[in-house]
Amino acid sequence: MKFVGSSLCRSPIVFGLALLGLGTVFLRAQDKPVPPPAQLLPVAEPTPPYLDTNQPIETRVEDLLGRMTLEEKISQVHADSKFSTAAIPRLGVPCRWIDDGPHGVREDVGPYNWRSAGHTDDFATSMPSLCALASTWNLDLATAYGNVIGQESRKRDKDIILAPIVDIARTPLSGRIYEYFGEDPFLNSRMGLNYIEGVQSNDVAACVKHFAGNNQENGRGIINMNMDERTLREIYLPPFEAAVKEARVWAVMGAYTKFRGEHCAYSDYLINKILNGEWGFQGLVMSDWSATYSTREAVFGGLDLEMGTLITGTERERPYEDYYLANPFMEGIRNGDYPVSLLDDKVRRNLRVMFATHVFDARKPGSLNTPEHQATAQRIAEESMVLLKNNDNTLPLDATKIKSVAVIGENAVRHNAAGFFGAGVKTMHEITPLEGIVELVGSNMNVTYSVGYSKQGTDSNMVERAVTAAHQADAAIIVAGLNHSRYLDDEGWDRTNLTLPYGQGDLIQKVIRANSRTVVVLIGGPAIEMDPWLARAPAVLQAWYPGMEGGRALARILFGNVNPSGKLTVTYPKQLMESPAHALGTYPGTNGTLFYKEGLLVGYRWFDTEDIEPEFPFGFGLSYTTFEYSNLKLLPGQNTNGPVVTAQFDLANTGSRAGAEVAELYIHQDNPGLTRPLKELKGFKKVFLKPGEKKTVSIPLDERAFAFYDPSQNGWVSEAGDFEILLGSSSRDIRLQDTFHLEQTTVEK
Ligand code: BGC
């Protein structure tokens, strides 16, 4: 039996209109028909415009809005259970189901708390984490990923999916960094755009989050973010701007944090002025869970849907009808405190999303847990892993020569997909690294396993057994890293440092001493400090949280069936204190205020401009083959809605294995009117090449690629002058370079 949220949802959503032949209405799987209430529309009335699929969305919205009572309108702007809004059976408005999250459709919880609902039909495909997806640098995979989430959401009867996260990775300590795409606004924008298009092509609304800035977990509920306008526009807003203007996302979630003193969920500046005003957003803004604190501010600040939790035993304990946008809002309208036009605007936005996702019409049916979805999860995992070090071609391991391998580490057998909070997925299976290795090579190789370290406490026996196993084997694979425990990639809790927990650093050093063919595999989000063991490690592979097929993907990379092609989307500092928010002492904020003192210099922008050598730079990743860049040409465009210039070059695979290279394009402006970072990513392309193959690659650059935001002009300025076009294999490995002269200065408002 499936849980159905509110009393309205619980009473079957039978649309009298449908029964009376007044339009086609599709019932949810869990809804059973009951006789229509007596007060329904007369039998003879023609199909109302809002049920007529031939009518434009705005006509349907206005028609339905016009039929709604005050109470019914109010019911559409706040939650009626943890993840739903109320139905209006009289009008055939179904209850809306909302769910996390970025990595797969979350298991059903609630209705009034975070506990599992105990269903047996809420398994879903567990995808690699978003930091893994971004590390593929493959936009087709972002679309495919979104498509899986969209199809599974439909099959699971969800209307809005709370993803993707496009928050910028400002500090590597962030407890949710594994859910982020990384530190660069351009890469975040492109990944988010394709993900959203994939989701929304399935009649499901994506909800991009957290607008605008939830860059740390420490103090997220109280922290007041402050940054200069240029930083806001150039670093933190672009992924949201692309989601709204290019992907036409239907929902946006306000962050827990405050922005310049206003709660993000109803910040007049962020929502009314920028999102709805400048960008023309037509969809709905929802609050993060229980991130609303005032009816008046929410009403005027642009919040359209208040979501949250019944927090029992605290002063904030309130039934859903007492939510700020529920009875208090209704009473305020009756008293004349709030104009009904503001309620109408909020309802319109909610209804628009319902019509856009065909809630009242024939909808795409979706599919769940299919082999195709699992294959997509595996492909993404395979393309996401980043080879950080590979001395003397330690990898790939040659299965024809190696007779025994010692697999070591708790993460080799641990299931990580279910953790944590909204980012976890209840999945049918999860292939662990050990299972993946045994499945691939177990029949012709002796595979041993020893835990080596443990979350419960590492003792000397564990370490000794692991070292002995490593000593006796031809190769050792240590699967180390983080695990979603508190402070180790966990929503609500930032990490406290960047070192590996549970004595893993010592273990790694001992195992390396015992076996010179040792591979260190890191599970977790970026980044970690690797001193002092990195210098001695023959090979290091960053594997992220690779999802339900992750063990298979990992084994195929370790043994050479797949050539790694992932690249970092976050700079790995040698030490935490060298990354900007920490070097400048602005993390975690003082007295509830967080000033983004580093401004534009986030991630590699800081390391490059300040000339600090990172451990591994943004965009870095090795391959089992080699690539050669040549023949760069800058082809001028027509500049009428097309590219201003296109960088064209040849890329060749000069090694003996097939592989893929991510070519990265950065720009540097000579003598800019306002100071700019040393280089900024403005384009990239992932190119697959057979051994010896050469391809001509084109990366177009539009006007915005050259622009900076000038607060004095409230617009994006591309200045006439010289720009260096830098093409490289990473942000610190530029292979080709040429100068482009932009003829004219333009300002885009
Ligand atoms: C998170 C959101 C999530 C929501 C619902 C919040 O704690 O910040 O990202 O979508 O919970 O689970």
Side-chain angles (χ1 to χ4, degrees):
M1 179 61 192
K2 192 161 177 140
F3 150 72
V4 183
S6 67
S7 54
L8 275 174
C9 286
R10 224 174 279 129
S11 59
I13 304 163
V14 168
F15 307 144
L17 304 175
L19 297 175
L20 294 169
L22 296 179
T24 313
V25 177
F26 289 81
L27 306 183
R28 290 165 179 272
Q30 69 264 38
D31 303 327
K32 295 192 189 71
V34 295
Q39 72 273 24
L40 281 172
L41 300 171
V43 177
E45 188 173 308
T47 302
Y50 77 92
L51 289 179
D52 181 352
T53 50
N54 295 320
Q55 297 295 329
I57 284 187
E58 289 309 307
T59 308
R60 298 177 76 183
V61 168
E62 290 308 321
D63 180 59
L64 180 53
L65 182 70
R67 293 168 193 264
M68 292 166 80
T69 64
L70 177 62
E71 289 80 358
E72 286 167 347
K73 288 178 186 173
I74 288 286
S75 76
Q76 297 305 297
V77 298
H78 66 89
D80 77 331
S81 88
K82 196 147 191 56
F83 283 105
S84 65
T85 61
I88 311 174
R90 181 182 80 84
L91 293 169
V93 177
C95 82
R96 277 177 292 170
W97 290 97
I98 298 167
D99 208 352
D100 287 296
H103 306 144
V105 187
R106 180 196 188 144
E107 75 172 313
D108 296 333
V109 300
Y112 305 122
N113 53 44
W114 294 103
R115 279 195 294 279
S116 164
H119 297 159
T120 52
D121 58 356
D122 57 352
F123 292 87
T125 299
S126 158
M127 304 294 283
S129 57
L130 288 196
C131 73
L133 172 62
S135 303
T136 68
W137 295 65
N138 184 337
L139 295 178
D140 292 339
L141 291 183
T143 310
Y145 193 125
N147 205 23
V148 169
I149 303 292
Q151 289 179 357
E152 301 216 342
S153 300
R154 277 307 310 125
K155 193 69 182 176
R156 291 261 314 271
D157 243 337
K158 310 296 180 189
D159 301 296
I160 304 178
I161 197 81
L162 304 173
I165 300 190
V166 296
D167 299 330
I168 295 289
R170 174 177 182 255
T171 161
L173 291 186
S174 170
R176 297 182 83 174
I177 198 165
Y178 71 100
E179 294 185 63
Y180 299 174
F181 289 130
E183 68 190 23
D184 183 77
F186 180 76
L187 182 63
N188 268 26
S189 304
R190 298 304 102 191
M191 283 287 156
L193 166 72
N194 283 47
Y195 183 112
I196 291 165
E197 285 177 347
V199 169
Q200 295 198 158
S201 65
N202 290 286
D203 295 342
V204 174
C207 178
V208 67
K209 63 189 186 183
H210 307 85
F211 189 62
N214 185 159
N215 311 107
Q216 67 189 49
E217 294 302 284
N218 199 333
R220 70 176 182 178
I222 50 164
I223 208 94
N224 179 23
M225 305 181 299
N226 211 336
M227 63 182 82
D228 64 78
E229 191 65 20
R230 205 175 147 206
T231 299
L232 174 71
R233 301 287 183 153
E234 286 191 30
I235 303 290
Y236 295 94
L237 289 189
F240 291 99
E241 188 177 355
V244 171
K245 289 184 175 171
E246 296 179 60
R248 307 257 164 227
V249 73
W250 279 112
V252 174
M253 184 191 291
Y256 277 123
T257 39
K258 285 186 200 159
F259 180 78
R260 295 182 191 155
E262 294 178 326
H263 285 279
C264 285
Y266 39 87
S267 151
D268 180 57
Y269 186 60
L270 291 178
I271 298 174
N272 292 334
K273 303 257 176 0
I274 297 180
L275 180 69
N276 296 342
E278 289 178 30
W279 301 346
F281 180 59
Q282 298 286 305
L284 69 89
V285 175
M286 73 172 75
S287 67
D288 202 338
W289 267 235
S290 307
T292 311
Y293 301 87
S294 147
T295 299
R296 169 161 288 274
E297 288 172 37
V299 167
F300 288 103
L303 182 64
D304 305 310
L305 181 57
E306 181 186 359
M307 298 302 298
T309 310
L310 280 183
I311 308 167
T312 48
T314 76
E315 71 216 13
R316 301 198 59 220
E317 180 174 355
R318 289 165 303 133
Y320 287 102
E321 57 268 28
D322 289 342
Y323 263 34
Y324 294 100
L325 287 189
N327 285 339
F329 187 17
M330 187 153 65
E331 281 154 26
I333 288 179
R334 288 199 174 118
N335 297 339
D337 292 342
Y338 312 121
V340 76
S341 59
L342 281 180
L343 172 62
D344 283 350
D345 178 61
K346 295 177 196 307
V347 178
R348 253 185 217 110
R349 289 172 178 277
N350 279 276
L351 295 182
R352 227 174 252 140
V353 179
M354 295 172 88
F355 285 111
T357 51
H358 301 118
V359 163
F360 297 89
D361 318 324
R363 285 176 102 178
K364 301 214 169 116
S367 54
L368 191 59
N369 296 315
T370 64
E372 291 77 21
H373 292 177
Q374 289 159 12
T376 303
Q378 182 172 332
R379 165 99 194 272
I380 292 168
E382 287 174 356
E383 279 200 36
S384 74
M385 295 183 189
V386 182
L387 184 58
L388 294 175
K389 188 172 177 192
N390 196 19
N391 275 10
D392 303 326
N393 296 326
T394 303
L395 284 175
L397 299 172
D398 186 344
T400 60
K401 296 203 181 117
I402 291 173
K403 297 288 165 249
S404 59
V405 63
V407 179
I408 296 162
E410 197 170 59
N411 266 338
V413 294
R414 190 181 155 89
H415 287 174
N416 280 310
F420 198 84
F421 268 173
V425 182
K426 181 167 133 188
T427 181
M428 304 276 248
H429 65 252
E430 180 177 348
I431 307 293
T432 63
L434 181 62
E435 286 166 346
I437 291 166
V438 170
E439 184 181 272
L440 189 69
V441 296
S443 54
N444 45 21
M445 198 179 289
N446 182 26
V447 181
T448 63
Y449 173 69
S450 34
V451 70
Y453 75 87
S454 169
K455 178 182 170 181
Q456 310 306 334
T458 301
D459 62 42
S460 52
N461 276 343
M462 280 176 197
V463 177
E464 224 167 89
R465 278 200 294 274
V467 170
T468 306
H471 186 69
Q472 290 168 351
D474 293 341
I477 301 168
I478 311 178
V479 188
L482 315 180
N483 56 16
H484 294 309
S485 296
R486 185 154 294 179
Y487 306 116
L488 299 172
D489 290 337
D490 179 20
E491 182 178 336
W493 309 89
D494 284 343
R495 299 182 63 194
T496 53
N497 59 61
L498 288 188
T499 54
L500 285 173
Y502 320 129
Q504 293 180 68
D506 283 348
L507 172 73
I508 290 172
Q509 297 199 64
K510 288 185 174 137
V511 171
I512 291 171
R513 272 201 289 273
N515 191 318
S516 59
R517 200 183 281 140
T518 291
V519 179
V520 181
V521 175
L522 296 167
I523 301 292
I528 60 161
E529 286 174 9
M530 301 185 200
D531 193 39
W533 54 265
L534 178 65
R536 297 197 191 96
V540 182
L541 181 72
Q542 176 69 65
W544 316 118
Y545 293 106
M548 68 189 295
E549 303 294 332
R552 288 196 171 113
L554 174 65
R556 281 163 57 78
I557 288 183
L558 293 174
F559 290 95
N561 307 61
V562 168
N563 189 349
S565 61
K567 297 213 173 168
L568 295 180
T569 67
V570 169
T571 305
Y572 279 43
K574 285 186 191 296
Q575 292 168 22
L576 174 67
M577 289 312 287
E578 288 174 350
S579 47
H582 303 276
L584 298 175
T586 68
Y587 172 91
T590 321
N591 300 329
T593 296
L594 181 61
F595 190 70
Y596 285 45
K597 206 169 169 186
E598 71 286 356
L600 301 171
L601 301 185
V602 176
Y604 67 91
R605 288 165 163 78
W606 164 265
F607 284 83
D608 285 354
T609 309
E610 296 293 313
D611 200 14
I612 302 167
E613 193 66 34
E615 193 69 85
F616 295 109
F618 175 82
F620 175 81
L622 301 171
S623 166
Y624 296 157
T625 187
T626 47
F627 300 99
E628 198 176 87
Y629 291 66
S630 62
N631 204 16
L632 173 62
K633 290 185 194 125
L634 299 181
L635 309 174
Q638 322 73 19
N639 197 12
T640 36
N641 298 326
V644 175
V645 64
T646 296
Q648 195 189 73
F649 56 98
D650 293 336
L651 190 58
N653 181 344
T654 48
S656 55
R657 280 175 183 267
E661 166 72 334
V662 179
E664 303 162 30
L665 189 156
Y666 299 84
I667 64 142
H668 164 87
Q669 183 175 359
D670 299 338
N671 306 314
L674 293 180
T675 313
R676 297 183 74 157
L678 201 68
K679 65 171 96 73
E680 300 163 43
L681 182 78
K682 296 296 172 183
F684 59 88
K685 199 151 256 177
K686 188 161 195 176
V687 186
F688 292 79
L689 293 162
K690 298 191 202 90
E693 192 183 7
K694 186 197 264 190
K695 281 184 186 166
T696 299
V697 184
S698 296
I699 302 182
L701 295 172
D702 61 14
E703 198 91 37
R704 180 65 85 85
F706 296 94
F708 55 76
Y709 188 85
D710 183 353
S712 71
Q713 304 198 48
N714 296 327
W716 291 89
V717 181
S718 357
E719 286 181 323
D722 286 346
F723 290 82
E724 303 307 320
I725 307 294
L726 311 165
L727 263 170
S729 182
S730 89
S731 62
R732 294 255 171 154
D733 183 7
I734 301 302
R735 306 281 183 90
L736 298 172
Q737 171 166 358
D738 202 352
T739 306
F740 173 69
H741 184 78
L742 192 64
E743 295 293 343
Q744 260 187 354
T745 298
T746 51
V747 183
E748 178 203 333
K749 295 277 185 184

